[in-house]
Amino acid sequence: MSVLVVGSVAFDTVTTPFGRRDKILGGSATYFSYSCSFFAPVNLVAVVGEDFPDPYRELLRQRRINLDGLQVHEGKTFHWGGSYRYDMNEAETEFTDLNVFEDFHPDLPASYRASEYVLLANIDPDLQLEVLNQIENPRLVVGDTMNLWIELKSEAVQEVVRKLHILIINDAEARQFTGEVSLKKAAGKILELGCEYVVIKKGEHGALLFSRQDIFSAPGLPLDTVIDPTGAGDTFAGGFMGYLARSGEISPSSLRKAMIYGSVMASFNVEDFSLERLQRLQEDDIKSRFQEFKALTSF
Amino acid sequence: MSVLVVGSVAFDTVTTPFGRRDKILGGSATYFSYSCSFFAPVNLVAVVGEDFPDPYRELLRQRRINLDGLQVHEGKTFHWGGSYRYDMNEAETEFTDLNVFEDFHPDLPASYRASEYVLLANIDPDLQLEVLNQIENPRLVVGDTMNLWIELKSEAVQEVVRKLHILIINDAEARQFTGEVSLKKAAGKILELGCEYVVIKKGEHGALLFSRQDIFSAPGLPLDTVIDPTGAGDTFAGGFMGYLARSGEISPSSLRKAMIYGSVMASFNVEDFSLERLQRLQEDDIKSRFQEFKALTSF
């Protein structure tokens, strides 16, 4: 079962304690798609400029990622610059050049409109709503957002959340969105808006899945070295959604496994810049790291 | 099998977003003992001043905590004052009046010297060594420390660590002690000093257990309300050590369960000031929260 994703395809200029990389491939839809592609085919919706290089396009195509919905506009590709300090916990944004994203309106190819699995990666919530309006009868809609939209477009974010089955959000954003320090209370408030599940990501500390009845905690895998955490959240979402689409089952049990597959993919992603670690990834690596998570939590 | 603990018995003056309490019962050995007493009898070594009230003494005695090693010195009881901001992540120390602790030297009653289970709670590492020298043939020695001692007495801390089977330390202290950001690398460096296991506590994010072969991650239980996190780490150590003493087994499997019992006890402790939540605790509460941890992590 294929997964539709709308989000950003971008250049990232990233500085971490391990070095600096200029205009490497990034963007929420990029990380999501690449990660998801290990589990299910992906239909991507985004926009790039005329400067977007063919080798980047080819990288995505090689992994069953359908680019029919990738518009090319006159102008430059979205470009984000940021840096991480020694503790790698939070990126400091240095610049955000929206470029072609400023006038972007998603227009879904006819073949995408019957998508059953939809991931609204982090972009302007108005664009997320435009995408949802073009989808006929989705089975599972999962969405992400960020502090910027919660601050600038709180009502649109709320409207999106009401239409989601699952919201994926990080801990600081969940606190900002709800005004609650307790993540349990924050999740409760988000569930009251109408979605069925909330995933709260906690970076190196893992992620929590909340429903009205239940909580599941996925651990963070302790790693020797984190080279670049950019895209970890989107990579998590890719593994999470990809596993659900592949299994065809949306149940408490499949959601828990999906949380672990998301964590597995994110744990690989941070081990190198851009998609570099995921490009070297084999199916067996995923299986054995899933077993590592099992061993990490069994008692 | 009884557990010997050396540490502080103190007055705490604590301010949290939920209020302020003056001179409530606190101290590392207090929290440890009370928590441990749900699993095993405790022999306590510490010092208080003449101002230490009988009702506090009675509170400890009621729970099989042997106070033969609790010295009473002329002067005032150790008094710590601190406050927590809204996120409850770290205490800001307002004052530390060592008082009778300034000239304290532990002197173990004869009946304590054959102790098999020894917990060196957070006090001056030189005092921890003095205690160890008085114990004949311990089966399990577990120790805690804090940033202050790592800064002031790094060599004494290292000497203690070399004599421990298990070091319990928090994430910031592990990073400070080893100069490593990665907790996995930090644990590796500590294990090289000679102890067999390291427990790294991560506050609301749970705790990690490292051996040379293995890692276990105990989750933090998401709670509606955290009233006062003071003593959570010592309460964790109490459940951890108490379970090991009760089970009589020191194996990878019993250590994992001990991590969860430690987390169970800490999760109760933060729900109220001082020992108030633990005073209301029933055996069944512990059992059912252990099951909550099981449900929280199964996949």
Side-chain angles (χ1 to χ4, degrees):
Chain A
M1 194 62 65
S2 64
V3 176
L4 181 144
V5 57
V6 58
S8 60
V9 172
F11 294 136
D12 283 349
T13 292
V14 181
T15 309
T16 87
F18 296 91
R20 179 188 164 93
R21 300 291 173 99
D22 283 299
K23 291 183 83 172
I24 51 181
L25 180 56
S28 59
T30 304
Y31 279 108
F32 175 87
S33 301
Y34 208 89
S35 170
C36 190
S37 74
F38 285 86
F39 302 88
V42 180
N43 297 324
L44 183 147
V45 179
V47 63
V48 291
E50 291 158 317
D51 58 349
F52 193 71
D54 275 339
Y56 282 178
R57 215 176 250 107
E58 199 41 46
L59 210 62
L60 301 175
R61 275 213 194 91
Q62 278 169 0
R63 289 217 51 90
R64 298 190 291 179
I65 299 167
N66 180 344
L67 302 184
D68 292 351
L70 181 65
Q71 302 174 26
V72 182
H73 285 200
E74 209 175 307
K76 287 183 172 178
T77 299
F78 175 36
H79 189 183
W80 175 81
S83 61
Y84 298 86
R85 293 174 193 212
Y86 201 47
D87 72 356
M88 297 278 194
N89 272 333
E90 209 179 347
E92 201 167 301
T93 292
E94 287 165 357
F95 59 85
T96 307
D97 297 337
L98 285 177
N99 299 330
V100 292
F101 254 98
E102 281 188 66
D103 302 308
F104 173 58
H105 290 280
D107 182 19
L108 267 55
S111 62
Y112 284 18
R113 290 174 194 257
S115 297
E116 293 191 11
Y117 292 83
V118 178
L119 193 291
L120 308 172
N122 170 35
I123 44 166
D124 186 325
D126 288 327
L127 299 184
Q128 294 179 321
L129 291 169
E130 282 181 32
V131 169
L132 270 190
N133 290 337
Q134 297 174 56
I135 306 228
E136 283 151 16
N137 190 19
R139 184 172 172 209
L140 180 69
V141 182
V142 180
D144 195 353
T145 189
M146 74 181 289
N147 49 7
L148 180 74
W149 309 121
I150 296 172
E151 208 179 305
L152 299 183
K153 295 193 168 191
S154 176
E155 286 198 13
V157 172
Q158 289 197 28
E159 201 181 328
V160 171
V161 172
R162 274 186 216 104
K163 296 185 174 182
L164 296 177
H165 297 102
I166 307 177
L167 174 67
I168 299 182
I169 192 168
N170 78 30
D171 46 2
E173 290 155 2
R175 286 174 169 138
Q176 179 195 8
F177 188 45
T178 61
E180 295 287 350
V181 177
S182 155
L183 295 179
K184 192 176 173 189
K185 278 191 182 169
K189 276 198 176 176
I190 293 167
L191 293 170
E192 276 174 23
L193 289 176
C195 58
E196 288 166 43
Y197 292 92
V198 184
V199 175
I200 299 185
K201 297 171 289 179
K202 306 192 295 174
E204 64 163 323
H205 302 297
L208 298 166
L209 170 72
F210 292 89
S211 70
R212 282 177 197 80
Q213 297 79 37
D214 200 30
I215 314 177
F216 174 65
S217 170
L221 184 70
L223 296 169
D224 274 322
T225 308
V226 172
I227 299 280
D228 176 12
T230 309
D234 303 304
T235 309
F236 171 90
F240 178 82
M241 190 74 163
Y243 174 77
L244 291 174
R246 187 176 76 186
S247 78
E249 189 190 316
I250 300 161
S251 66
S253 150
S254 69
L255 283 160
R256 284 171 174 239
K257 286 202 183 76
M259 290 283 290
I260 299 298
Y261 278 109
S263 306
V264 163
M265 298 308 287
S267 75
F268 285 119
N269 175 65
V270 302
E271 291 181 335
D272 211 334
F273 286 98
S274 188
L275 298 174
E276 289 174 33
R277 180 67 184 90
L278 296 189
Q279 282 176 250
R280 301 192 299 270
L281 200 64
Q282 305 292 322
E283 289 290 337
D284 280 353
D285 298 331
I286 297 174
K287 278 185 200 149
S288 73
R289 196 157 280 188
F290 185 89
Q291 290 310 317
E292 272 188 74
F293 273 83
K294 202 80 171 165
L296 186 64
T297 54
S298 300
F299 65 88
Chain B
M1 195 61 65
S2 64
V3 176
L4 181 143
V5 58
V6 58
S8 61
V9 171
F11 294 135
D12 284 348
T13 291
V14 181
T15 309
T16 86
F18 296 91
R20 180 189 165 93
R21 300 292 173 97
D22 283 300
K23 291 182 83 171
I24 52 181
L25 180 55
S28 59
T30 303
Y31 279 108
F32 176 87
S33 301
Y34 207 89
S35 171
C36 189
S37 74
F38 286 86
F39 301 88
V42 179
N43 296 326
L44 184 147
V45 179
V47 63
V48 292
E50 291 159 316
D51 58 349
F52 193 70
D54 275 339
Y56 283 177
R57 214 175 251 108
E58 200 42 46
L59 208 62
L60 301 175
R61 275 212 193 91
Q62 279 170 0
R63 289 217 51 91
R64 299 189 292 177
I65 299 168
N66 181 343
L67 302 183
D68 290 352
L70 181 65
Q71 302 175 25
V72 182
H73 285 200
E74 209 176 307
K76 287 183 173 177
T77 299
F78 175 34
H79 188 183
W80 174 81
S83 60
Y84 297 85
R85 294 176 194 210
Y86 201 46
D87 73 354
M88 296 278 192
N89 273 334
E90 210 179 348
E92 201 167 301
T93 292
E94 287 165 357
F95 59 86
T96 306
D97 297 338
L98 284 177
N99 299 330
V100 291
F101 253 98
E102 283 187 64
D103 303 307
F104 173 58
H105 291 278
D107 182 21
L108 268 53
S111 62
Y112 284 18
R113 290 173 194 256
S115 297
E116 293 192 9
Y117 292 83
V118 178
L119 193 290
L120 308 172
N122 170 34
I123 44 166
D124 186 325
D126 287 327
L127 299 184
Q128 294 179 320
L129 291 169
E130 282 181 32
V131 169
L132 270 190
N133 290 337
Q134 296 175 56
I135 307 230
E136 284 152 16
N137 190 18
R139 184 174 172 207
L140 180 69
V141 182
V142 180
D144 195 354
T145 190
M146 74 180 288
N147 49 7
L148 180 75
W149 310 121
I150 296 172
E151 208 179 305
L152 298 183
K153 296 193 167 191
S154 176
E155 287 197 14
V157 172
Q158 289 196 27
E159 200 181 330
V160 172
V161 172
R162 273 186 216 105
K163 295 184 176 184
L164 296 177
H165 297 103
I166 306 178
L167 174 67
I168 300 182
I169 193 169
N170 78 31
D171 45 3
E173 290 155 3
R175 286 173 169 138
Q176 179 195 7
F177 187 45
T178 61
E180 294 287 350
V181 177
S182 156
L183 296 179
K184 192 176 173 190
K185 279 192 183 169
K189 275 198 176 176
I190 294 166
L191 293 170
E192 276 173 25
L193 289 176
C195 60
E196 288 167 42
Y197 291 92
V198 185
V199 175
I200 299 184
K201 297 172 288 180
K202 305 192 297 173
E204 64 163 326
H205 301 298
L208 297 166
L209 170 72
F210 293 87
S211 71
R212 282 178 196 79
Q213 297 79 36
D214 199 29
I215 314 177
F216 174 65
S217 169
L221 183 70
L223 296 169
D224 275 322
T225 308
V226 172
I227 300 282
D228 176 12
T230 308
D234 302 304
T235 309
F236 170 90
F240 177 82
M241 190 75 162
Y243 175 76
L244 290 174
R246 188 176 75 186
S247 77
E249 189 191 317
I250 300 161
S251 66
S253 150
S254 70
L255 283 160
R256 285 172 173 238
K257 285 202 183 75
M259 289 285 289
I260 298 297
Y261 278 109
S263 306
V264 162
M265 298 308 286
S267 75
F268 285 119
N269 175 66
V270 301
E271 291 181 335
D272 212 334
F273 285 98
S274 189
L275 299 173
E276 288 174 34
R277 180 66 185 92
L278 296 189
Q279 283 176 252
R280 301 192 299 271
L281 199 63
Q282 306 293 323
E283 290 291 335
D284 280 352
D285 298 331
I286 297 174
K287 278 185 201 151
S288 72
R289 196 157 279 189
F290 185 89
Q291 290 310 318
E292 273 187 73
F293 274 83
K294 204 76 171 167
L296 186 64
T297 53
S298 301
F299 65 88

